[in-house]
Amino acid sequence: MLKRYLPILAWLPHYNRRLCGADLLAGLIVTIMVIPQSLAYALLAGLPAVVGLYASILPLAAYALLGTSRTLAVGPVAIIALMTGAALSGVAPPGSPAYLEAALVLSLLSGAMLAVMGVLRMGFFANFLSHPVIGGFLSASGLLIAISQLSHLLGVDASGYTAFALLTSLSRHLPTLHWPTLAVGAGSLMFLVAVRRWGQPALRAIGLPRGLAALIARAGPVFAVIATTALSAWLDLAEHGVAVVGTIPGGLPPLTLPGFDGPLWRQLLVPALLISVVGFVESISMAQMLAAKRRERISPNQELIGLGGANLLAAVSGGMPVTGGLSRTVINFESGARTPMAGLFAALGIGLVTLALTPLLAHLPVATLAATITVAILTLVDVPLIRRTWRYSRSDFSAMALTMALTLGEGVEAGIIGGVLLSIMLFLYRTSRPHSAVVGRIPGTEHFRSVTRHDTETVSHLALLRIDESLYFANARYLEDTLYALVASRPELEHVVLICSAVNLIDASALESLDAINARLKDSRVTLHLAEVKGPVMDQLKKSSFLDDLAGRVFLSTYSAWSELSRPSS
Amino acid sequence: MLKRYLPILAWLPHYNRRLCGADLLAGLIVTIMVIPQSLAYALLAGLPAVVGLYASILPLAAYALLGTSRTLAVGPVAIIALMTGAALSGVAPPGSPAYLEAALVLSLLSGAMLAVMGVLRMGFFANFLSHPVIGGFLSASGLLIAISQLSHLLGVDASGYTAFALLTSLSRHLPTLHWPTLAVGAGSLMFLVAVRRWGQPALRAIGLPRGLAALIARAGPVFAVIATTALSAWLDLAEHGVAVVGTIPGGLPPLTLPGFDGPLWRQLLVPALLISVVGFVESISMAQMLAAKRRERISPNQELIGLGGANLLAAVSGGMPVTGGLSRTVINFESGARTPMAGLFAALGIGLVTLALTPLLAHLPVATLAATITVAILTLVDVPLIRRTWRYSRSDFSAMALTMALTLGEGVEAGIIGGVLLSIMLFLYRTSRPHSAVVGRIPGTEHFRSVTRHDTETVSHLALLRIDESLYFANARYLEDTLYALVASRPELEHVVLICSAVNLIDASALESLDAINARLKDSRVTLHLAEVKGPVMDQLKKSSFLDDLAGRVFLSTYSAWSELSRPSS
């Protein structure tokens, strides 16, 4: 029991020096690698850069204690930062103390929601986000983030959380283009693209082993940060109008506790829910992928608790909403992390950096961070997925297209909500017309098949109708329509047998419909019977008066209904 | 084709004097009977009483031409009037010209939506309203309407569209109780209850035939209106402070055309949609019930067009949103209407009354109309249905309870939307954990059954998993969890066969999950195979690259998979 809620108890007793060595190295590498992105994603959310560091310390440690993935690394990620910025910009002016406070509230609410969902075992909630919706959302968000970074790369002012707002704001400010900033931004961008594309092959060509080559190639952002910070300090670029990160307060994360503010909390409820669900879906997909590589097990509900704990700790240590980050997790995994202890080491490392090394970051140009974000984020724009979905199913594609259009045009919340609602509606529509078939007897046997596809024996006063779907509210009315059409089209009909072999559920709506069908067929002097009703369905029907009111009988098999009813009535 | 959109062409050619006589009588009776309720429901919506008459003329005629039910009578109904009032009170002060104009806009929007849904064959939209939600909504609305009529019966001011607002307003104004109004109201109420309960048996006891007795008993409101109007005129009750209907402008309905007003239209979009869907569901249930009694056919999509036309005509003739009304339809049916011509006669009759007899209604006390509404509406409160749903299914009951609580506490729109969302979520939850079973071979046969329920033959390196549900976004993740758990629990596993005999659909989410499962199993050195994939599902899978990437094979039968894979691997 305790092991379920504290997965650390599963591996700590077997911890040894070999594991420790591997984890220590991975923790060190992660510490160095995640600093640029932590700073960048805080800026993306409109928060001071140091908040990104704060959010990478205690939350990372919390997940290491509570999460079930051995290698997942938690911290600020791009999509969540974008959603955070969009949510906060609605409640407070960026840069104000209220904005910072709201970020803590958002983390707190999101953490509480995740933890509660985990304890109540409500991980299924994430199922509402279908793959086409999440895929469309990630692609559109990637584009949106890339557009939002253009202003930092060009050194102009621009703000907004829709593609339209960003682009109009950008074009209005374009005349104020700042050439030195553009030089730093474009330089970093080209360097990062080059490293990403040719870094690994080049390093392997000069003889480095595959693992090390991959690792160094991944360190592109670190080199970019070091190089441009040095350049910026040397040329005093800030004096020449290049935006820099500026003085970051040193020291450990502050202890924060967001106060209760009813209206603010209510405004942030929906954003917090969406951030929770999107973060969870992203995180668990990654965790499952990595766990499968080592045949480990992920518990979705415990993952909710782990991510919930991480966000709650973000709220009390001056952070921002966090989740499992793709790049930091891959770095951790590929650096050879074996247990969550690697995460604890990384948390310690980032803590030390925050304590001691932040003064060095004062000259870091914002344009470098923008370039880092842009290069990382464009991998989210998944054109092959879009094309694949289009080819596979128009219905799924339409949910994806709506999500993308709304995300770009109306913002991240509208995108997700619209996409989820459409995909649910499309699914209900698909199941609202269940396959059904009028069946007849294969002569001389006890088998019954569709009359349209086989040569069957039928009698005009008896109809056998097989329904190939559970009966519930979305198709209850269709069932009525089908039966009334059947009865209206065959005036000589006296008996209808509903074959329920494929019916796993009859909900209250379908029950009302069956009641109505029974009564109305009686009015038309037709008797309704059932056949092959499954045990659990029968048990539930017994809780209603339907079986008492049923004009006809419940037959165990279609054949027994046939034997009984196919003889001409007296 | 023309016949489909103009059902009148189906019966008009065969029209004869006998049918005409029956229809004429029914039309006359309907004319007399529906006047009190038409006035009452207009007042319920906060509109002048005469609007209810206007809405009973052209809309009734439009439905008679376009609708597929032979006997449905269209006009103002209680629920729709309540929803109209709730919607309008949000956009304009009651009694103002803007309020009247908004009522027309609401009819126009609702008519346009219904007509468009009909032309696009989107009647399935109504399926989203499950029976428990609509049942809970009707019961709660009935209560809400009854509470709202208390103020008219007591002669005090009270307003609001939630139970809480109404009751607090009522209790605050209770000291201003007006005794003469209470006398009229309570008198009418007791009369109507007595007629409803004992009228028909009493009339039959004195020898009247069943049909006539029922008809006269139904005419209770007409007698109450005549008696209290006469009393009011005689004693000049208006002078003594009893609220009366007042001078109603005579003449035919005015020609109206609501102007376009963007913000107003946008505000009324959601209310119009809800009014359309609720009105449609109410109307079609009734139409199907009556059609079944005479083995006639209703076309749901043509019904949408008929109701759409009715509301569009309500918008241009000074009316309010309308739908098929229970009591006016039952009166029409029981008075012997045979074709929609009865509706045309009734429209003509109500037109004549509006033209000539409205001055007589000036003295009609509002309390009489309130009593009429109260008695009619309390039949909507369906306690047995609530009890039945509780007994049948807790899940369905919770959707019903939420609908009722929200309707009473937050208003009609919140009630419907909340109920619909909850019932959809509950359904998705139910199907998000499909039944699945690891199966084994019944020794010596080609049959495979669940290993937990039967003595079966299995081999440790092969797992056969049968999934009993279509695979879609709500259960895609569950499928992944199930398979990963299976693989993690059996370290010696080499092959997993997914038996798809019950899978009717694989959507893009489930496809991504299968892709992920295939890849991750490969990472765990386990091969995924499929078996018994249905034809249409196979066709769709061929549109993706899944079958090319699949590590294993697609077997036609479980047995062929078993024969191939159960031998120990080399």
Side-chain angles (χ1 to χ4, degrees):
Chain A
M1 177 65 188
L2 201 60
K3 249 188 196 170
R4 207 180 86 199
Y5 284 113
L6 278 177
I8 191 175
L9 298 178
W11 55 265
L12 200 57
H14 314 292
Y15 205 63
N16 58 33
R17 192 183 293 181
R18 195 177 50 77
L19 290 173
C20 183
D23 287 343
L24 201 54
L25 179 66
L28 183 69
I29 294 171
V30 168
T31 298
I32 298 167
M33 300 291 225
V34 304
I35 288 173
Q37 51 168 283
S38 299
L39 301 169
Y41 296 149
L43 291 179
L44 175 57
L47 291 161
V50 72
V51 169
L53 293 178
Y54 294 161
S56 304
I57 304 171
L58 290 187
L60 186 56
Y63 180 84
L65 296 178
L66 295 168
T68 52
S69 169
R70 298 262 166 124
T71 45
L72 191 75
V74 160
V77 308
I79 295 291
I80 300 300
L82 175 73
M83 295 177 77
T84 300
L88 299 185
S89 70
V91 300
S96 66
Y99 193 90
L100 268 166
E101 171 90 4
L104 300 178
V105 172
L106 201 58
S107 308
L108 186 72
L109 289 175
S110 169
M113 283 176 187
L114 287 163
V116 166
M117 282 197 250
V119 171
L120 298 180
R121 314 186 77 64
M122 282 170 67
F124 76 94
F125 212 88
N127 295 344
F128 286 77
L129 276 185
S130 67
H131 280 264
V133 169
I134 194 83
F137 177 68
L138 291 181
S139 286
S141 298
L143 262 182
L144 205 55
I145 294 173
I147 294 171
S148 77
Q149 296 310 305
L150 276 178
S151 64
H152 298 304
L153 290 173
L154 300 172
V156 304
D157 277 340
S159 58
Y161 284 93
T162 67
F164 182 73
L166 279 166
L167 288 175
T168 51
S169 170
L170 204 64
S171 63
R172 208 170 43 243
H173 291 97
L174 206 54
T176 65
L177 178 74
H178 190 251
W179 290 103
T181 302
L182 178 58
V184 174
S188 304
L189 199 61
M190 283 187 288
F191 170 72
L192 291 170
V193 169
V195 167
R196 181 173 280 256
R197 186 157 298 175
W198 298 295
Q200 196 175 343
L203 290 167
R204 294 204 63 198
I206 61 169
L208 271 97
R210 175 193 286 268
L212 189 61
L215 198 63
I216 296 181
R218 281 194 190 282
V222 177
F223 298 130
V225 163
I226 294 174
T228 55
T229 304
L231 188 77
S232 165
W234 180 43
L235 298 178
D236 203 359
L237 289 180
E239 274 297 294
H240 295 82
V242 173
V244 295
V245 167
T247 313
I248 296 176
L252 285 176
L255 187 69
T256 49
L257 195 65
F260 180 74
D261 171 354
L264 175 67
W265 286 42
R266 203 159 325 131
Q267 270 182 292
L268 291 176
L269 266 186
V270 171
L273 183 66
L274 296 179
I275 284 174
S276 304
V277 175
V278 170
F280 173 62
V281 168
E282 275 306 282
S283 182
I284 189 125
S285 316
M286 208 158 39
Q288 278 175 331
M289 183 182 69
L290 297 176
K293 281 193 202 281
R294 294 188 184 162
R295 277 210 185 194
E296 291 163 356
R297 269 296 286 154
I298 297 298
S299 152
N301 288 308
Q302 183 60 29
E303 280 301 282
L304 283 166
I305 294 176
L307 292 175
N311 277 291
L312 289 174
L313 279 195
V316 298
S317 62
M320 59 187 279
V322 295
T323 191
L326 176 62
S327 62
R328 56 182 74 207
T329 300
V330 170
I331 291 167
N332 194 39
F333 188 84
E334 296 191 343
S335 310
R338 301 301 304 272
T339 76
M341 191 61 90
L344 292 175
F345 288 139
L348 199 66
I350 300 169
L352 290 175
V353 169
T354 310
L355 194 59
L357 301 181
T358 46
L360 295 182
L361 294 168
H363 288 286
L364 169 57
V366 172
T368 306
L369 295 178
T372 308
I373 295 180
T374 306
V375 172
I377 211 66
L378 283 176
T379 59
L380 287 182
V381 182
D382 193 345
V383 178
L385 173 69
I386 300 170
R387 208 161 32 209
R388 223 157 56 224
T389 308
W390 163 259
R391 238 184 306 126
Y392 186 68
S393 152
R394 293 299 183 276
S395 163
D396 283 309
F397 178 78
S398 62
M400 175 182 263
L402 181 76
T403 307
M404 294 183 65
L406 284 177
T407 303
L408 289 172
E410 292 279 325
V412 285
E413 288 173 25
I416 293 190
I417 294 174
V420 167
L421 290 182
L422 183 64
S423 53
I424 291 174
M425 280 170 55
L426 286 170
F427 172 71
L428 294 183
Y429 176 66
R430 284 190 198 183
T431 57
S432 70
R433 299 157 171 273
H435 182 252
S436 65
V438 174
V439 300
R441 184 189 185 198
I442 305 282
T445 72
E446 296 190 7
H447 295 294
F448 292 81
R449 292 284 181 279
S450 164
V451 294
T452 54
R453 285 199 249 159
H454 297 81
D455 268 339
T456 56
E457 191 183 338
T458 55
V459 287
S460 67
H461 67 276
L462 168 64
L464 304 166
L465 185 73
R466 197 190 66 218
I467 300 285
D468 288 348
E469 184 84 63
S470 288
L471 298 176
Y472 77 108
F473 62 87
N475 58 32
R477 204 173 309 276
Y478 185 73
L479 178 70
E480 293 192 46
D481 290 343
T482 306
L483 274 161
Y484 299 153
L486 183 69
V487 172
S489 69
R490 289 172 57 174
E492 70 291 354
L493 205 58
E494 288 171 21
H495 298 283
V496 172
V497 179
L498 212 57
I499 305 170
C500 301
S501 48
V503 175
N504 295 316
L505 167 80
I506 294 181
D507 79 353
S509 301
L511 180 72
E512 292 276 334
S513 286
L514 285 175
D515 261 328
I517 289 167
N518 179 46
R520 292 176 201 175
L521 291 193
K522 221 188 287 182
D523 285 341
S524 311
R525 291 168 307 283
V526 174
T527 311
L528 176 72
H529 309 265
L530 301 184
E532 304 191 30
V533 182
K534 294 187 176 184
V537 175
M538 199 66 184
D539 289 345
Q540 196 164 21
L541 286 180
K542 280 181 185 149
K543 293 187 198 160
S544 74
S545 63
F546 174 72
L547 295 173
D548 304 328
D549 300 337
L550 184 65
R553 295 170 44 192
V554 180
F555 294 98
L556 279 181
S557 70
T558 308
Y559 181 69
S560 64
W562 167 269
S563 336
E564 197 76 28
L565 303 171
S566 64
R567 289 164 301 178
S569 57
S570 51
Chain B
M1 178 67 189
L2 201 60
K3 249 186 195 169
R4 208 179 87 198
Y5 285 112
L6 278 177
I8 190 174
L9 298 178
W11 55 265
L12 200 60
H14 315 291
Y15 205 64
N16 57 33
R17 192 183 294 182
R18 195 178 49 78
L19 290 173
C20 182
D23 286 343
L24 201 54
L25 179 66
L28 183 69
I29 294 172
V30 169
T31 297
I32 298 167
M33 299 290 226
V34 304
I35 287 173
Q37 50 167 283
S38 298
L39 300 169
Y41 296 150
L43 291 180
L44 174 57
L47 292 160
V50 71
V51 169
L53 292 179
Y54 294 161
S56 306
I57 303 172
L58 290 187
L60 185 56
Y63 180 83
L65 296 178
L66 295 169
T68 52
S69 168
R70 298 261 166 125
T71 44
L72 190 77
V74 161
V77 309
I79 295 291
I80 299 300
L82 175 72
M83 295 176 78
T84 300
L88 300 186
S89 69
V91 299
S96 66
Y99 194 90
L100 267 167
E101 171 90 4
L104 301 177
V105 172
L106 201 58
S107 308
L108 186 72
L109 289 176
S110 169
M113 284 175 187
L114 287 162
V116 167
M117 281 197 251
V119 171
L120 298 181
R121 316 186 75 67
M122 282 171 66
F124 76 94
F125 213 86
N127 295 344
F128 286 76
L129 277 186
S130 67
H131 280 265
V133 169
I134 194 85
F137 177 68
L138 291 180
S139 286
S141 298
L143 262 182
L144 204 55
I145 293 173
I147 294 170
S148 77
Q149 296 309 304
L150 276 177
S151 65
H152 298 303
L153 290 172
L154 299 172
V156 303
D157 277 339
S159 59
Y161 284 93
T162 66
F164 182 73
L166 280 165
L167 287 174
T168 51
S169 170
L170 203 66
S171 63
R172 209 172 41 244
H173 290 98
L174 206 56
T176 66
L177 179 75
H178 190 249
W179 291 103
T181 301
L182 179 58
V184 175
S188 303
L189 200 60
M190 284 187 287
F191 170 72
L192 290 170
V193 170
V195 168
R196 181 173 279 257
R197 184 156 300 175
W198 298 294
Q200 195 174 345
L203 290 166
R204 294 203 63 196
I206 63 170
L208 271 102
R210 173 193 285 267
L212 189 60
L215 199 62
I216 295 179
R218 283 194 188 279
V222 176
F223 298 130
V225 163
I226 293 173
T228 56
T229 303
L231 188 78
S232 165
W234 180 43
L235 298 177
D236 203 358
L237 289 180
E239 275 297 295
H240 294 83
V242 173
V244 295
V245 166
T247 312
I248 294 178
L252 286 176
L255 187 69
T256 49
L257 196 66
F260 180 73
D261 171 353
L264 175 67
W265 285 43
R266 203 159 326 132
Q267 270 182 293
L268 292 176
L269 266 185
V270 171
L273 183 66
L274 296 179
I275 286 175
S276 302
V277 175
V278 170
F280 173 62
V281 169
E282 276 305 282
S283 182
I284 190 122
S285 316
M286 205 159 40
Q288 279 176 331
M289 182 183 71
L290 296 176
K293 281 194 202 280
R294 292 188 185 161
R295 278 210 185 194
E296 292 162 355
R297 269 295 287 154
I298 297 297
S299 152
N301 288 309
Q302 182 60 29
E303 280 301 283
L304 283 167
I305 295 176
L307 293 175
N311 277 291
L312 289 174
L313 279 195
V316 298
S317 62
M320 58 188 280
V322 295
T323 193
L326 177 63
S327 62
R328 56 183 73 207
T329 299
V330 170
I331 290 167
N332 194 37
F333 188 85
E334 294 191 344
S335 310
R338 302 301 304 273
T339 76
M341 193 60 91
L344 292 175
F345 287 139
L348 198 67
I350 300 168
L352 289 175
V353 168
T354 310
L355 194 60
L357 301 181
T358 45
L360 295 182
L361 294 169
H363 287 285
L364 168 57
V366 171
T368 307
L369 295 178
T372 308
I373 295 178
T374 307
V375 172
I377 212 65
L378 283 176
T379 58
L380 287 182
V381 182
D382 193 345
V383 178
L385 174 69
I386 299 170
R387 206 158 37 208
R388 222 157 56 224
T389 307
W390 164 258
R391 239 183 307 127
Y392 185 69
S393 152
R394 293 299 184 275
S395 162
D396 284 309
F397 178 78
S398 62
M400 176 183 262
L402 181 76
T403 306
M404 293 182 66
L406 283 177
T407 303
L408 288 172
E410 292 280 326
V412 284
E413 287 173 24
I416 293 190
I417 293 174
V420 166
L421 290 181
L422 183 64
S423 53
I424 291 174
M425 280 169 56
L426 287 170
F427 172 71
L428 293 183
Y429 177 66
R430 284 191 198 182
T431 57
S432 71
R433 299 157 171 272
H435 182 253
S436 66
V438 174
V439 300
R441 185 188 185 198
I442 305 283
T445 72
E446 297 188 7
H447 294 294
F448 293 81
R449 291 283 182 278
S450 165
V451 296
T452 54
R453 284 198 252 161
H454 297 82
D455 268 340
T456 57
E457 191 183 336
T458 55
V459 287
S460 67
H461 68 276
L462 168 66
L464 304 166
L465 185 74
R466 198 190 65 219
I467 301 287
D468 289 348
E469 183 84 63
S470 288
L471 298 176
Y472 76 108
F473 62 86
N475 58 31
R477 205 173 307 278
Y478 185 73
L479 178 70
E480 293 192 45
D481 290 344
T482 307
L483 274 161
Y484 299 153
L486 183 69
V487 172
S489 69
R490 289 172 58 174
E492 69 292 355
L493 205 57
E494 290 170 21
H495 298 281
V496 172
V497 179
L498 211 59
I499 305 170
C500 302
S501 49
V503 175
N504 295 314
L505 167 80
I506 295 182
D507 79 353
S509 302
L511 180 72
E512 292 276 334
S513 286
L514 285 176
D515 261 328
I517 289 168
N518 178 46
R520 292 176 202 175
L521 257 44
K522 220 187 291 182
D523 285 341
S524 310
R525 290 168 307 283
V526 174
T527 310
L528 176 72
H529 308 264
L530 302 183
E532 303 192 30
V533 182
K534 293 187 175 182
V537 174
M538 198 67 185
D539 290 344
Q540 196 163 22
L541 285 180
K542 281 182 185 148
K543 292 188 199 160
S544 75
S545 63
F546 174 71
L547 295 173
D548 304 327
D549 301 337
L550 184 64
R553 294 171 43 191
V554 181
F555 293 97
L556 279 181
S557 71
T558 308
Y559 181 69
S560 62
W562 166 270
S563 334
E564 198 75 28
L565 303 171
S566 63
R567 288 163 302 176
S569 56
S570 51

